[in-house]
Amino acid sequence: STSTSTTNNLEEEEEEGTVTVTEENIEKFLGKPKYTQERYYETTPVGVIMGLAWTANGGATLYVETVVDRHLKAAELRITGQLGDVMKESTNIAYTYSKILLSRLFPDNNFLETKAIHMHVPEGATPKDGPSAGCTMVTSLISLAMNIPAIPHLAMTGELTLTGKVLPIGGVREKMIAAKRSGVTVLCLPPMGSTFPVNVNSPVIAR
């Protein structure tokens, strides 16, 4: 009958159009993944801290790396990583406050006063801007000056003032998703008001 013939034709077309999707070819059908594992270090070395950023595609991790630059003669801070104007201001604020904090807590430690420092934010082809990496930058500088690495699986975000105040930041939900995606278990966030949109009792948060 006509009905049976049509059904058989459809079945034949389905069989001819069958494809097998595997890990190797899934990108061909779905395109490049929007999110990937963003963890560069299983254990962060001295002077390296994971920060968090908000992007048009959601949250993302953002490492801040600092090392001693023995090619520079004077005690100064060199920055690289295609940073925007606001983020460059954050590096200067972080550098100044790190020296103040270190001299207050450890008067005999003059590391930041005498060493030339190179600070870099990886993925130099990606423009970066915003103030919320201030805390990450200070922690990176203090880690280098004290020669003490950060605890494992730590990330942080927060805008810093010149006197050391930590200001609230935006994109918290997206940043928490990025932290979880990268295996973060300790997340340092600024103080938050009653409008905070996620569960602050989450075990991933350290306030």
Side-chain angles (χ1 to χ4, degrees), residues 5 31 47 80 97 121 127 178 180 188 193 199 207:
S5 175
T80 54
Y97 182 70
V121 182
K180 181 176 179 62
C188 298
N199 177 15
R207 298 178 65 187

Side-chain angles (χ1 to χ4, degrees), residues 180-202:
K180 181 176 179 62
R181 196 166 62 236
S182 294
V184 170
T185 56
V186 180
L187 176 57
C188 298
L189 297 173
M192 296 163 289
S194 58
T195 57
F196 185 59
V198 296
N199 177 15
V200 294
N201 295 315
S202 167

Side-chain angles (χ1 to χ4, degrees), residues 100-137:
I100 294 171
L101 181 63
L102 192 65
S103 65
R104 182 191 306 158
L105 298 178
F106 305 97
D108 295 334
N109 188 327
N110 63 352
F111 184 94
L112 296 178
E113 300 287 349
T114 59
K115 303 294 185 182
I117 308 297
H118 184 171
M119 177 182 290
H120 178 63
V121 182
E123 297 191 29
T126 305
K128 310 166 193 73
D129 208 358
S132 63
C135 289
T136 312
M137 292 172 176

Side-chain angles (χ1 to χ4, degrees), residues 165-177:
K165 299 292 184 183
V166 182
L167 305 181
I169 43 85
V172 176
R173 184 190 298 274
E174 291 82 2
K175 291 176 181 180
M176 288 187 68
I177 292 171

Side-chain angles (χ1 to χ4, degrees), residues 36-39 41-42 50 52 61 63 151-155 175-187 204:
T36 58
Q37 181 72 10
E38 299 158 337
R39 192 178 190 92
Y41 303 93
E42 273 305 311
M50 182 194 290
L52 299 167
T61 57
Y63 280 93
I151 62 174
H153 311 298
L154 167 74
K175 291 176 181 180
M176 288 187 68
I177 292 171
K180 181 176 179 62
R181 196 166 62 236
S182 294
V184 170
T185 56
V186 180
L187 176 57
V204 78

Side-chain angles (χ1 to χ4, degrees), residues 64-66 77-80 91 117-121 137 141:
V64 174
E65 304 173 330
T66 54
L77 179 67
R78 178 189 180 199
I79 56 173
T80 54
T91 63
I117 308 297
H118 184 171
M119 177 182 290
H120 178 63
V121 182
M137 292 172 176
L141 288 164

